[in-house]
Amino acid sequence: MLDKLALLGFGPGGWGQPLLQGAFITISIALATLPFGLVLGLLVALGKRSDNVVLRWLATGYTTVFRGVPELLTLYIIYFGVQIVLQEFWQWLGLPGAFSMPPFVAGMVALGVVLSAFTSEVWVGALNAIPKGQREAAAALGLSKAHAFRLVVFPQLIRVALPGLGNNWMVLLKETSLVSVITLPDIMFITTRANVVTKEPFLFFGAAILIYFAFSLASAWGLGKLEARTNRGMATFGGATR
């Protein structure tokens, strides 16, 4: 038993250092994907609420496609398909060398596109929950639409959307495991390789479970603190929030 646990250590023959590096890659790609997916999702949500019919159709089509296509297929399309298109464009421009998309970038874009499709629905629900009178009051005060959104709508939007966005973050943490198929050395890539070398699947996949579980616990704690902060000043009396 001790010999098996030594495989998780940092000594000779131990996989402790690669596991830490894999955990760092996992949390790095999740943190890099989050702002990209949230901002893109908000833009898609605004498109779905736009007065422009074309924008509404494009935004609706975007969410329909990327919510319906498997995440792994999206990853393959971006890593292999988009890379081929960009490579041909690179050659058409007559630029020297060859274009190569780093696996980290491809993983971030693919996961971000999927995340944006799901977060757009959260943003739309949150936007619908904010009374129209808030925007009318901002307009009455002479605020432009951009200033009204930044100063009046967005602070309320974050508070309403945060629980749904938190759920999407937890899903994103698990979906980062997909990037192992494009040779990005995340937790799943390292543990799979360690299993091939040592023939100890329960040990290393069990270690992966514990690492993901630790990330989830830390995320749940952080999201709880963030929700408490965004809800500060909101008092409930007899079931009504004031």
Side-chain angles (χ1 to χ4, degrees), residues 11-109:
W15 288 82
Q17 186 66 27
L19 284 173
L20 282 181
Q21 292 172 348
F24 177 76
I25 292 294
T26 292
I27 197 65
S28 295
I29 195 168
L31 290 174
T33 300
L34 184 64
F36 171 65
L38 291 183
V39 173
L40 183 56
L42 180 57
L43 293 176
V44 172
L46 293 175
K48 294 179 77 171
R49 288 171 51 89
S50 172
D51 294 331
N52 188 304
V53 177
V54 175
L55 281 179
R56 287 205 307 271
W57 275 96
L58 288 175
T60 301
Y62 177 92
T63 56
T64 300
V65 170
F66 288 109
R67 290 176 67 198
V69 174
E71 290 86 346
L72 183 59
L73 182 55
T74 302
L75 180 61
Y76 280 148
I77 289 173
I78 290 177
Y79 184 61
F80 295 109
V82 173
Q83 188 163 213
I84 291 173
V85 172
L86 292 176
Q87 174 62 37
E88 292 181 354
F89 182 67
W90 187 274
Q91 293 176 350
W92 179 77
L93 292 176
L95 297 174
F99 178 86
S100 178
M101 181 181 293
F104 189 96
V105 175
M108 184 194 74
V109 172

Side-chain angles (χ1 to χ4, degrees), residues 136-153:
E136 294 174 346
L141 291 173
L143 296 177
S144 65
K145 288 186 176 181
H147 281 87
F149 182 82
R150 182 172 64 87
L151 299 175
V152 179
V153 176

Side-chain angles (χ1 to χ4, degrees), residues 220-233:
W221 178 83
L223 288 169
K225 291 291 185 181
L226 191 57
E227 287 186 31
R229 179 174 178 79
T230 57
N231 286 320
R232 68 189 187 281

